[in-house]
Amino acid sequence: DGGITQSPKYLFRKEGQNVTLSCEQNLNHDAMYWYRQDPGQGLRLIYYSQIVNDFQKGDIAEGYSVSREKKESFPLTVTSAQKNPTAFYLCASSIIPGQKSNQPQHFGDGTRLSIL
Amino acid sequence: AQKVTQAQTEISVVEKEDVTLDCVYETRDTTYYLFWYKQPPSGELVFLIRRNSFDEQNEISGRYSWNFQKSTSSFNFTITASQVVDSAVYFCALRMNTGFQKLVFGTGTRLLVSP
């Protein structure tokens, strides 16, 4: 079945450590996204990518980095510069919005990141 | 600026009750798209429904129905005869038709359905 796979499900970070969250999709979608979800808040966009080797900052990109070397993969690195990384991280993919803007984004199961 | 407001933080109902989740949005665009997503305790967001701004026809799908009113900038979602499995956080989202066309989410409404 087509879908989005995020790993790990739970992740713990020590102070000063960088950690990488994995996101893989087999939906043949060009666009991929990373969101952060905090309790009682909606999803906030961290980074997005519409094509391989290209990505753009979202609303809260500071302290995060991404890469898009393959169409299927869009890993997110939470760097030590992100002082409050504890949150639920969701990866999503879609066809490029400009083609059919009413097409929904499809989401993975998320990764819960905590500070040790 | 675009904004989505879900004023109801949490709603508790007893099984078989009907429940309506409110969503009010703000945008200056004339063409836009509205979505509802469900987030069960497992965490993933599940797409439920979408509406184009130029299509105000409301819809019923099984126990779910949607009421889109452009005049009041509202896109409300109703569950008829609620079930325990409906317990989840529900998000309303808005996508514009300009620029990157990112999704703007509301803060979500937690629905608790008790037996």
Side-chain angles (χ1 to χ4, degrees):
Chain A
D1 278 7
I4 300 175
T5 302
Q6 289 188 242
S7 62
K9 197 169 180 66
Y10 299 95
L11 188 57
F12 298 92
R13 194 192 89 168
K14 296 179 182 178
E15 268 198 58
Q17 185 182 43
N18 293 354
V19 292
T20 297
L21 285 60
S22 171
C23 177
E24 304 277 332
Q25 56 99 0
N26 60 4
L27 298 167
N28 199 32
H29 286 162
D30 287 301
M32 296 188 74
Y33 316 80
W34 273 105
Y35 292 91
R36 171 179 170 140
Q37 184 180 15
D38 293 282
Q41 297 192 35
L43 278 68
R44 292 183 290 169
L45 184 64
I46 305 173
Y47 267 98
Y48 63 93
S49 168
Q50 298 194 62
I51 195 171
V52 172
N53 292 324
D54 185 57
F55 46 83
Q56 306 295 328
K57 292 182 179 180
D59 300 320
I60 54 166
E62 186 174 349
Y64 300 97
S65 66
V66 293
S67 63
R68 187 86 187 274
E69 297 177 2
K70 298 187 301 181
K71 184 176 181 177
E72 302 79 20
S73 178
F74 191 41
L76 173 74
T77 296
V78 184
T79 74
S80 55
Q82 173 49 245
K83 298 306 179 189
N84 184 23
T86 297
F88 188 56
Y89 292 86
L90 283 157
C91 178
S93 72
S94 74
I95 64 171
I96 293 178
Q99 296 170 354
K100 285 188 178 180
S101 294
N102 67 344
Q103 294 303 303
Q105 292 179 12
H106 297 265
F107 286 81
D109 290 350
T111 293
R112 195 165 298 280
L113 176 62
S114 303
I115 294 271
L116 278 179
Chain B
Q2 294 74 31
K3 185 179 177 183
V4 175
T5 301
Q6 294 179 256
Q8 304 153 308
T9 305
E10 185 169 306
I11 301 175
S12 293
V13 299
V14 177
E15 217 172 9
K16 297 185 184 177
E17 284 186 28
D18 298 347
V19 57
T20 295
L21 308 180
D22 297 334
C23 173
V24 174
Y25 61 91
E26 296 175 29
T27 179
R28 293 183 180 177
D29 285 23
T30 54
T31 300
Y32 50 89
Y33 307 89
L34 295 161
F35 302 82
W36 274 99
Y37 283 88
K38 174 182 179 180
Q39 186 178 41
S42 52
E44 80 278 17
L45 262 71
V46 178
F47 163 68
L48 295 177
I49 186 68
R50 62 172 167 250
R51 261 300 167 262
N52 307 330
S53 57
F54 43 86
D55 176 10
E56 289 196 67
Q57 181 179 354
N58 292 309
E59 184 176 316
I60 297 175
S61 175
R63 296 187 297 110
Y64 299 159
S65 62
W66 295 267
N67 186 354
F68 173 39
Q69 294 201 351
K70 221 170 172 179
S71 59
T72 56
S73 297
S74 65
F75 184 45
N76 297 337
F77 171 50
T78 297
I79 303 174
T80 303
S82 59
Q83 299 175 1
V84 172
V85 293
D86 295 327
S87 297
V89 180
Y90 290 83
F91 289 96
C92 181
L94 166 70
R95 172 188 282 159
M96 282 62 68
N97 198 39
T98 54
F100 166 63
Q101 302 173 346
K102 72 173 186 180
L103 270 180
V104 176
F105 284 87
T107 52
T109 296
R110 181 177 299 277
L111 175 62
L112 300 172
V113 182
S114 53

